[in-house]
Amino acid sequence: MTMRPIRLLGDAVLRTPAEPVTSFDAELRSLVTDLMDTLLGAPGRAGVAAPQIGVSARVFVYDADGEVGHVVNPTIELSEELQEGDEGCLSIPELYFSTPRAMYATVEGFDQYGTPLTVRGGGFLARALQHETDHLDGKLYIDTLRGDTRRQALREIRAAAWSRR
């Protein structure tokens, strides 16, 4: 089992769009295994994207609403119906803020062998799919926050012990 360290806010890899995967080979399968080990190796994790472990590749893993899997080179379609709920991120540890997201999401991509796949979900699974896809685009959930919630998030991030390293 290889649990990889999670990169924290401030690391440039988190703000850089990830590179598309072009080779569905042993290296990709090893990355998916490391991502899954990192996801399942600690309780309470809903997803991990490759940039969060320092790898610029369009790959993420998820464990939400009883569904566990991975997606390579995802594209996402979102419903117009919205949900509101607390969201957190391993790259912004111990902080949670009410974050608007689409109620339903459909992700299309590939598995680690290059076979096309589709993942559809509502509620928490939809939230996780959106969150992880955003990571691959160099975005963090705090980027969606507005007004007082955003100001509070930025204050708490500046005050967090991990942000002063």
Side-chain angles (χ1 to χ4, degrees), residues 2-165:
T2 305
M3 274 191 65
R4 304 267 294 266
I6 299 292
R7 302 292 179 97
L8 299 178
L9 178 65
D11 190 315
V13 72
L14 296 173
R15 292 304 198 170
T16 305
E19 295 293 322
V21 172
T22 57
S23 296
F24 292 81
D25 55 11
E27 186 176 337
L28 174 62
R29 289 188 291 283
S30 178
L31 173 60
V32 170
T33 298
D34 285 357
L35 285 166
M36 196 59 74
D37 287 350
T38 303
L39 171 67
L40 300 176
R45 294 181 171 184
V48 177
Q52 290 183 280
I53 63 169
V55 178
S56 179
R58 292 191 65 80
V59 182
F60 70 78
V61 297
Y62 61 92
D63 179 5
D65 285 346
E67 293 196 37
V68 178
H70 69 277
V71 183
V72 179
N73 293 337
T75 60
I76 192 166
E77 286 189 37
L78 305 174
S79 70
E80 291 184 24
E81 184 180 354
L82 297 178
Q83 62 174 308
E84 193 72 37
D86 282 350
E87 195 164 320
C89 181
L90 299 173
S91 295
I92 307 172
E94 301 173 8
L95 299 178
Y96 300 86
F97 300 97
S98 185
T99 305
R101 292 285 188 180
M103 180 61 80
Y104 300 98
T106 300
V107 170
E108 293 186 356
F110 302 89
D111 71 9
Q112 61 189 322
Y113 301 101
T115 304
L117 59 79
T118 301
V119 182
R120 289 183 182 87
F124 186 64
L125 177 57
R127 181 176 293 280
L129 295 172
Q130 292 168 76
H131 182 108
E132 299 310 325
T133 302
D134 280 353
H135 273 300
L136 304 182
D137 294 331
K139 299 176 188 170
L140 298 169
Y141 85 99
I142 58 171
D143 299 334
T144 69
L145 305 178
R146 300 288 176 253
D148 290 340
T149 305
R150 181 169 177 79
R151 284 186 286 281
Q152 177 187 357
L154 295 176
R155 275 193 305 273
E156 290 187 33
I157 288 167
R158 282 190 298 273
W162 57 264
S163 75
R164 294 189 297 262
R165 289 183 191 174

